[in-house]
Amino acid sequence: MQIGIIGLGAMGAGVARNLLKGGHDVVVWNRSPQAVETLVAEGARRADTPGGAFDAEIVFSMLAQDETIEEVVVASGALDAARKGVVHVNLSTVSVAFADRMEALHAEKGLAYVAAPVLGRPDVAAAGQLNVLCAGDPAAVAKVTPLIELFAKQVWPFGDKASRANVVKLAVNFSLASMIETLGEAGALADAYGVEPAALYEVMTGTLFAAPAYKTYSALIADARFEPAGFKLPLGLKDVRLALAAGEAQSTPLPIASVLRDAFIEAIAAGDGAKDWSALAAGAFRRSARKLG
Amino acid sequence: MQIGIIGLGAMGAGVARNLLKGGHDVVVWNRSPQAVETLVAEGARRADTPGGAFDAEIVFSMLAQDETIEEVVVASGALDAARKGVVHVNLSTVSVAFADRMEALHAEKGLAYVAAPVLGRPDVAAAGQLNVLCAGDPAAVAKVTPLIELFAKQVWPFGDKASRANVVKLAVNFSLASMIETLGEAGALADAYGVEPAALYEVMTGTLFAAPAYKTYSALIADARFEPAGFKLPLGLKDVRLALAAGEAQSTPLPIASVLRDAFIEAIAAGDGAKDWSALAAGAFRRSARKLG
Amino acid sequence: MQIGIIGLGAMGAGVARNLLKGGHDVVVWNRSPQAVETLVAEGARRADTPGGAFDAEIVFSMLAQDETIEEVVVASGALDAARKGVVHVNLSTVSVAFADRMEALHAEKGLAYVAAPVLGRPDVAAAGQLNVLCAGDPAAVAKVTPLIELFAKQVWPFGDKASRANVVKLAVNFSLASMIETLGEAGALADAYGVEPAALYEVMTGTLFAAPAYKTYSALIADARFEPAGFKLPLGLKDVRLALAAGEAQSTPLPIASVLRDAFIEAIAAGDGAKDWSALAAGAFRRSARKLG
Amino acid sequence: MQIGIIGLGAMGAGVARNLLKGGHDVVVWNRSPQAVETLVAEGARRADTPGGAFDAEIVFSMLAQDETIEEVVVASGALDAARKGVVHVNLSTVSVAFADRMEALHAEKGLAYVAAPVLGRPDVAAAGQLNVLCAGDPAAVAKVTPLIELFAKQVWPFGDKASRANVVKLAVNFSLASMIETLGEAGALADAYGVEPAALYEVMTGTLFAAPAYKTYSALIADARFEPAGFKLPLGLKDVRLALAAGEAQSTPLPIASVLRDAFIEAIAAGDGAKDWSALAAGAFRRSARKLG
């Protein structure tokens, strides 16, 4: 099948490779040419414009934020250049309001829009083991699901309103951020009494909190190993901000998310903006004038 | 071995039964006589006063809070009636300051004090599968560990300062409360956009948050099944308050815990004081004028 | 002098009348025609488009929010229709980012932009007694100051960068919102112990807090007199949100503002969205399951 | 009249002097003898024990906190040594629960207890211009009011339940702390955009917030003049903690107070524990990695 791919960051490139491996005709576009060269060397074709990638049956996009998608997909005219009947699968984490706007805009232009934000870091994408939250027009979803399965461990359906998949993604990332801050505060409390945070985390992940997220993040926090970043701290702030905005639009206060937002901003002010978002946990130590790690 | 047990609530009774099963000579005291009768029928001996239970080699206490222990163990004169060389193992969740005071008081009187707060609900205690956080004088800890193992799945050592085990316990319960509130807020956000909280929780517990605590509590929350209470909401408030007090004593702010404290108080004001602490999650729905379940 | 006025709500109309009284040639535009008729009957001229109001020496705009100004002043083409050399004085409360964008856009088009957000309610505007926070190009500010003085009690200069006046306005409104919530919480605490909130407020405004804002708002709160709204609750939410956004853009967390944002959202969910923003204070009573007033 | 005074700190000494000036027979007790010497030189008599000061018709106490009063007035046996019919006027800021306990204890012993916490700093006490919040048995209040008027600008009655005066005092101090933090955050926001905090405060105190508390504290904050301390930061934390505890006892959450509590703790961790509580405002700057002043 002819597949367009827009955005070849670490996540998008992993997706592209799995589609290539699946034997598909993949045409790629990326802002910086380096990533395009690499994929072309692996068998992809190059699109000179975003619109070129929309000359396909199905298009996947994986971009950083609303504004980038607005610019690359909408303002560039790519949607107007799209092949008739194309299904656009947006893998990016976007705001609920933007997902609604995209769904409406595609409908106006006679195109199908599927929201399919993913759970998993770049290594998981490369391994084709992402968890994919998926919502949109049922026929379109049915059409793209076999392709998504080439890079997914599991596809989680959330009905026919695209933005619902985005709400779930934001709720999950908010929960991760809450876990990170909570591990930081619990660790700082333990540390204040001479208990190594790692010893506390060992109990937690050995008993009630024996989950992948707790194991991964508590190890990063206990070692203060925040670089290289798997997911940069300002992206965490962005997702919490989007969760808060989605809540506000439906008159739903999220007091924990508000605390997290302040903590992210404080972490950026403290100079941790280039680090992994697990560095959020260092704030609990900083506020008590101690140092994590 | 001669073992005293003070406090035969659901947790203490489970501990007592496992010690009886281990073939020990168990003497029990409880404020209300009913629980004593039951244990006596199962082979325990009755103590008429707390001091009577301290006429043993090792004493376990499992009481609700600092004030109760102060009254039953200290003000009653039980410590003064204690057999020489007794080791007192306090399984209760107490404040850090109280643990320090108890340790000092026992030392003054030539007694050994071991803090051994537990993780697990009454059914886990009955099954002898508790996780026990343990700290205190090394010789005393060594002496009581084989007995603790009669009701523990695992003993987690935290060194020779008793209160460290209590800090860890408070940090774990704080983490659980944070998880409950976060599940509530994430669920309310999903619900506001037409996604069933249960569907969100299924993704979470099927992927990053596949941990016992998340599975147990998200099911209770999704079904709004808050009665009967496994752990009453005001006890959750108490533990968060103790975590905050411990933080304050070491100049360690815990902003997430502060939000939880307010949320617990609000839940009690809303009439949920007799429910399980998982009812905390209903607050996120209440604040947005919707109803959970 | 020829003066254009865009936006004839309660505030804008008050400004327009004071300029008419000052003997100026005032041309007005408003979305709904009713307000235009009234002003025309009082001596103003009608502009059929926003651009018509920009055919003047100085233009004042007083509109509800960024989006409205974007639409009315920018998207309508009014700036392109502006008379050469016009000074646009924006009295509206806008975001810092929008003020920066407006200043740059005016500069591009060779126009002068002055930010002049105001403190005071409609009756104060009518009386010509507003406090006006003013910033922008010094020559432009000098030119418009005598006109502003026709409706101001005092003009407070904040230098040559327009958005600084907007930051100050947001900081003041944030401070007012904080005062309202604090009065609510302090009142709820007093009420919980049988002290009338009014009795507490009497001490406060009779001693340390003897300020106009405290006197006005504590009276509204004590009487639960939230209608008619002088400044609607969602506008208070908007201003706190803009303060938070301005803070975030400069890595400045504002934890009190975060609590206020949640409280505003909760008040809207509780059905108080059409009331005065002083109704925020009712939340402190609601959270403790009591009722204010 | 024979008047006992317990506690000769800066506040208590001011009260004592005004009573001496009023021509009364004043007998004083203080833990450290220096302050006693000074007052004796001014005409007071020395009591060798707290009980000695209770050999009077009316006793005023002004001590730092619940624990001190418990020790000095209760544990010392002073109440048992009290002259029959004595009225004890407690000027200290104590917890609501402690006030209730003291009232009951005095009643048991046939003594009268009046709560009369004060508003004002040492210089105001010296000038005899305190605002005094007063509650307790009406006959006792009537008897002591003429004496209180010797050091008060105004006496504010709050009925016959003593602890109500204490609730009001805590509510006022909570409001002051909220004002300080809000001034800090508003100032940090302004500063982040190049506006001097002093310029913002000038607008505020020149318009809506023209109150003594705002004028006094905004000047201290703008100049970062936190020493010498008029009221030390940990005392501010104590009062906010007491307000939170009073709220919790009546199921009344105080989310702003929770934020303040964390901010106070953070300030102490940052090394500001010996400074005036207005140093709380520096936290807003610290969190954004800037410096106040």
Side-chain angles (χ1 to χ4, degrees):
Chain A
M1 203 177 280
Q2 285 192 312
I3 299 174
I5 299 190
I6 290 179
L8 297 175
M11 295 297 294
V15 165
R17 282 194 184 96
N18 281 296
L19 291 168
L20 277 171
K21 264 190 248 170
H24 293 282
D25 174 11
V26 174
V27 53
V28 298
W29 181 88
N30 193 57
R31 187 183 307 268
S32 69
Q34 181 64 50
V36 175
E37 299 308 326
T38 310
L39 264 293
V40 166
E42 299 179 28
R45 289 186 294 121
R46 174 199 328 266
D48 291 327
T49 61
F54 267 83
D55 182 14
E57 291 164 86
I58 291 169
V59 180
F60 290 93
S61 58
M62 181 58 115
L63 295 164
Q65 54 199 342
D66 295 11
E67 293 72 13
T68 316
I69 302 167
E70 179 76 35
E71 187 189 333
V72 169
V73 175
V74 183
S76 72
L79 289 186
D80 299 307
R83 193 186 291 183
K84 195 167 141 45
V86 74
V87 180
H88 175 196
V89 185
N90 192 352
L91 305 169
S92 321
T93 295
V94 300
S95 72
V96 172
F98 186 74
D100 284 340
R101 179 169 128 64
M102 287 296 274
E103 189 174 45
L105 190 66
H106 282 69
E108 268 175 39
K109 296 181 186 289
L111 309 173
Y113 181 76
V114 171
V118 306
L119 303 180
R121 292 188 166 214
D123 55 327
V124 180
Q129 294 291 306
L130 294 169
N131 279 281
V132 181
L133 313 170
C134 191
D137 173 70
V141 168
K143 186 170 178 186
V144 301
T145 297
L147 293 174
I148 292 176
E149 284 168 345
L150 291 173
F151 56 84
K153 181 179 179 186
Q154 190 165 348
V155 181
W156 302 82
F158 282 96
D160 57 4
K161 184 158 183 58
S163 60
R164 286 188 183 162
N166 299 101
V167 171
V168 172
K169 168 72 197 229
L170 295 176
V172 170
N173 273 16
F174 153 60
S175 300
L176 283 168
S178 174
M179 178 200 70
I180 292 170
E181 171 69 19
T182 300
L183 285 170
E185 296 188 15
L189 177 61
D191 185 68
Y193 285 90
V195 176
E196 293 275 351
L200 165 67
Y201 300 154
E202 199 189 338
V203 170
M204 288 177 65
T205 57
T207 62
L208 294 158
F209 297 95
Y214 278 82
K215 288 176 185 169
T216 302
Y217 283 99
S218 70
L220 296 175
I221 295 167
D223 299 347
R225 197 170 67 242
F226 303 134
E227 287 166 305
F231 184 69
K232 283 196 182 163
L233 204 142
L235 292 174
L237 170 57
K238 185 201 76 170
D239 286 358
V240 167
R241 192 198 310 124
L242 296 185
L244 283 165
E248 185 176 335
Q250 295 292 330
S251 298
T252 303
L254 303 172
I256 295 284
S258 290
V259 170
L260 297 174
R261 184 182 163 283
D262 286 326
F264 272 118
I265 295 172
E266 199 179 320
I268 291 171
D272 287 351
K275 297 187 183 168
D276 189 70
W277 70 332
S278 49
L280 185 67
F285 291 78
R286 195 186 306 117
R287 276 173 226 127
S288 59
R290 278 170 305 121
K291 217 179 132 37
L292 170 59
Chain B
M1 203 176 279
Q2 284 191 311
I3 299 174
I5 299 190
I6 289 179
L8 296 174
M11 296 297 293
V15 165
R17 283 195 183 95
N18 282 297
L19 291 168
L20 278 172
K21 263 190 252 169
H24 294 282
D25 175 12
V26 173
V27 54
V28 299
W29 181 89
N30 193 59
R31 188 184 305 267
S32 70
Q34 182 64 51
V36 175
E37 298 309 324
T38 309
L39 263 293
V40 166
E42 298 179 27
R45 288 186 295 122
R46 174 199 329 266
D48 291 326
T49 61
F54 268 85
D55 182 14
E57 292 165 84
I58 291 169
V59 180
F60 290 93
S61 58
M62 180 58 114
L63 295 165
Q65 55 199 340
D66 295 11
E67 292 74 13
T68 316
I69 301 167
E70 179 76 36
E71 187 190 333
V72 168
V73 174
V74 183
S76 73
L79 290 186
D80 299 306
R83 194 185 290 183
K84 196 169 139 48
V86 73
V87 180
H88 175 196
V89 185
N90 192 353
L91 306 169
S92 321
T93 297
V94 300
S95 72
V96 172
F98 186 74
D100 284 340
R101 178 169 129 64
M102 287 296 274
E103 190 174 45
L105 191 64
H106 281 69
E108 267 175 40
K109 296 180 188 288
L111 309 171
Y113 181 75
V114 171
V118 306
L119 303 179
R121 293 189 166 213
D123 56 326
V124 180
Q129 294 290 306
L130 293 169
N131 279 282
V132 181
L133 314 170
C134 192
D137 173 70
V141 167
K143 186 170 179 186
V144 301
T145 296
L147 294 173
I148 292 176
E149 284 168 346
L150 291 174
F151 57 84
K153 181 179 179 186
Q154 189 164 348
V155 181
W156 303 82
F158 284 95
D160 57 4
K161 185 160 183 54
S163 60
R164 285 188 183 161
N166 299 102
V167 171
V168 173
K169 168 72 197 231
L170 295 176
V172 171
N173 273 15
F174 154 60
S175 300
L176 283 168
S178 175
M179 176 200 71
I180 292 170
E181 172 69 19
T182 299
L183 284 169
E185 295 188 14
L189 177 60
D191 186 69
Y193 285 90
V195 176
E196 293 275 352
L200 166 66
Y201 300 155
E202 200 189 338
V203 170
M204 288 176 66
T205 58
T207 62
L208 293 159
F209 296 95
Y214 279 82
K215 288 176 185 170
T216 301
Y217 283 99
S218 70
L220 295 175
I221 296 167
D223 300 346
R225 196 169 70 241
F226 303 133
E227 288 167 306
F231 184 69
K232 282 196 182 164
L233 203 142
L235 293 173
L237 170 56
K238 185 201 74 168
D239 286 358
V240 166
R241 194 199 306 124
L242 296 186
L244 284 164
E248 184 175 336
Q250 295 293 331
S251 299
T252 303
L254 302 172
I256 294 283
S258 290
V259 169
L260 297 174
R261 185 181 163 284
D262 287 325
F264 273 118
I265 296 173
E266 198 179 321
I268 290 170
D272 286 351
K275 298 186 182 165
D276 190 71
W277 70 331
S278 49
L280 184 68
F285 290 78
R286 195 187 309 117
R287 277 173 227 126
S288 61
R290 278 169 306 118
K291 217 179 131 37
L292 168 60
Chain C
M1 206 177 277
Q2 283 190 314
I3 300 173
I5 299 189
I6 290 180
L8 296 175
M11 295 297 293
V15 165
R17 282 194 184 97
N18 281 297
L19 292 168
L20 277 171
K21 263 190 250 170
H24 293 282
D25 174 13
V26 175
V27 53
V28 299
W29 181 89
N30 192 59
R31 188 183 305 269
S32 70
Q34 182 65 51
V36 175
E37 298 309 326
T38 309
L39 263 293
V40 166
E42 300 180 26
R45 287 185 297 121
R46 174 198 330 266
D48 290 326
T49 61
F54 268 84
D55 182 13
E57 291 164 86
I58 292 170
V59 179
F60 290 92
S61 58
M62 179 58 113
L63 295 164
Q65 55 200 341
D66 295 10
E67 292 75 12
T68 316
I69 301 167
E70 178 76 36
E71 188 190 332
V72 168
V73 173
V74 183
S76 72
L79 289 186
D80 300 306
R83 195 186 291 183
K84 196 167 142 45
V86 74
V87 181
H88 176 195
V89 184
N90 192 353
L91 305 169
S92 321
T93 296
V94 300
S95 72
V96 173
F98 185 74
D100 284 340
R101 177 169 131 63
M102 287 295 274
E103 188 174 44
L105 190 66
H106 282 68
E108 268 175 39
K109 295 180 189 288
L111 309 172
Y113 181 76
V114 172
V118 305
L119 303 179
R121 294 188 165 214
D123 55 327
V124 181
Q129 293 291 305
L130 294 170
N131 279 282
V132 182
L133 314 169
C134 192
D137 173 69
V141 167
K143 185 169 178 187
V144 301
T145 296
L147 294 173
I148 293 176
E149 284 169 345
L150 291 173
F151 55 84
K153 182 179 177 185
Q154 190 164 349
V155 181
W156 303 81
F158 284 95
D160 57 4
K161 183 157 184 59
S163 60
R164 286 188 182 161
N166 299 102
V167 171
V168 172
K169 167 72 196 228
L170 295 176
V172 170
N173 273 14
F174 153 62
S175 300
L176 284 169
S178 175
M179 176 200 70
I180 293 170
E181 172 68 19
T182 299
L183 285 169
E185 295 189 15
L189 177 61
D191 184 69
Y193 285 90
V195 176
E196 294 275 351
L200 166 66
Y201 301 154
E202 199 189 338
V203 170
M204 289 176 63
T205 57
T207 62
L208 293 158
F209 297 95
Y214 278 82
K215 289 176 184 171
T216 302
Y217 283 99
S218 70
L220 295 175
I221 295 167
D223 299 347
R225 197 170 70 242
F226 303 134
E227 289 166 303
F231 184 69
K232 283 198 181 163
L233 203 142
L235 293 174
L237 171 57
K238 186 201 75 170
D239 286 358
V240 167
R241 192 198 308 124
L242 296 185
L244 283 164
E248 185 175 335
Q250 295 293 330
S251 298
T252 302
L254 303 172
I256 295 283
S258 290
V259 169
L260 297 175
R261 184 181 163 282
D262 286 326
F264 273 118
I265 296 173
E266 199 179 321
I268 291 171
D272 287 352
K275 296 184 183 167
D276 189 71
W277 71 330
S278 49
L280 185 68
F285 291 77
R286 195 187 306 117
R287 277 173 227 128
S288 61
R290 279 169 305 119
K291 217 179 132 38
L292 169 60
Chain D
M1 204 177 278
Q2 284 191 311
I3 300 174
I5 299 190
I6 289 179
L8 297 174
M11 295 296 294
V15 166
R17 280 193 186 98
N18 282 296
L19 291 168
L20 278 172
K21 263 190 249 168
H24 293 281
D25 174 11
V26 174
V27 53
V28 299
W29 180 90
N30 193 59
R31 188 183 304 269
S32 70
Q34 182 65 50
V36 175
E37 298 309 325
T38 310
L39 264 291
V40 165
E42 300 180 26
R45 287 185 297 121
R46 173 199 330 266
D48 290 326
T49 61
F54 267 84
D55 182 14
E57 293 165 84
I58 292 170
V59 180
F60 290 94
S61 58
M62 180 58 115
L63 295 164
Q65 54 199 343
D66 294 12
E67 293 74 13
T68 315
I69 301 167
E70 179 75 35
E71 189 190 333
V72 168
V73 174
V74 184
S76 73
L79 290 186
D80 299 307
R83 193 186 293 183
K84 197 168 138 50
V86 74
V87 181
H88 176 195
V89 185
N90 192 352
L91 305 169
S92 321
T93 295
V94 300
S95 73
V96 173
F98 186 74
D100 284 340
R101 180 170 129 63
M102 287 296 273
E103 188 174 45
L105 190 64
H106 281 68
E108 267 175 39
K109 297 182 187 286
L111 309 172
Y113 181 76
V114 171
V118 306
L119 303 179
R121 295 188 164 213
D123 55 327
V124 180
Q129 294 290 306
L130 294 169
N131 279 282
V132 181
L133 314 170
C134 191
D137 173 70
V141 168
K143 187 170 176 186
V144 301
T145 296
L147 293 174
I148 293 176
E149 283 169 346
L150 291 174
F151 56 84
K153 181 179 179 185
Q154 189 164 349
V155 181
W156 303 80
F158 284 96
D160 57 5
K161 187 162 181 53
S163 60
R164 285 188 183 162
N166 299 102
V167 171
V168 172
K169 169 71 197 232
L170 295 176
V172 170
N173 272 15
F174 153 61
S175 300
L176 283 168
S178 175
M179 176 200 72
I180 293 170
E181 171 70 19
T182 299
L183 285 170
E185 296 188 14
L189 177 60
D191 184 69
Y193 285 90
V195 176
E196 292 276 350
L200 165 66
Y201 300 154
E202 198 189 340
V203 169
M204 289 177 65
T205 58
T207 62
L208 293 158
F209 297 95
Y214 278 82
K215 288 176 184 170
T216 301
Y217 283 98
S218 69
L220 295 175
I221 295 167
D223 299 347
R225 195 170 69 243
F226 303 134
E227 284 166 308
F231 184 68
K232 281 197 182 164
L233 203 141
L235 293 174
L237 170 57
K238 187 202 73 168
D239 286 358
V240 166
R241 193 200 307 125
L242 295 186
L244 284 164
E248 185 176 335
Q250 295 292 331
S251 298
T252 303
L254 303 172
I256 294 283
S258 290
V259 169
L260 297 175
R261 186 182 162 281
D262 287 325
F264 272 118
I265 296 173
E266 199 178 322
I268 291 171
D272 287 351
K275 297 185 183 167
D276 189 71
W277 70 330
S278 49
L280 185 68
F285 291 77
R286 195 187 307 117
R287 278 174 225 127
S288 61
R290 279 168 305 120
K291 218 177 130 41
L292 169 60

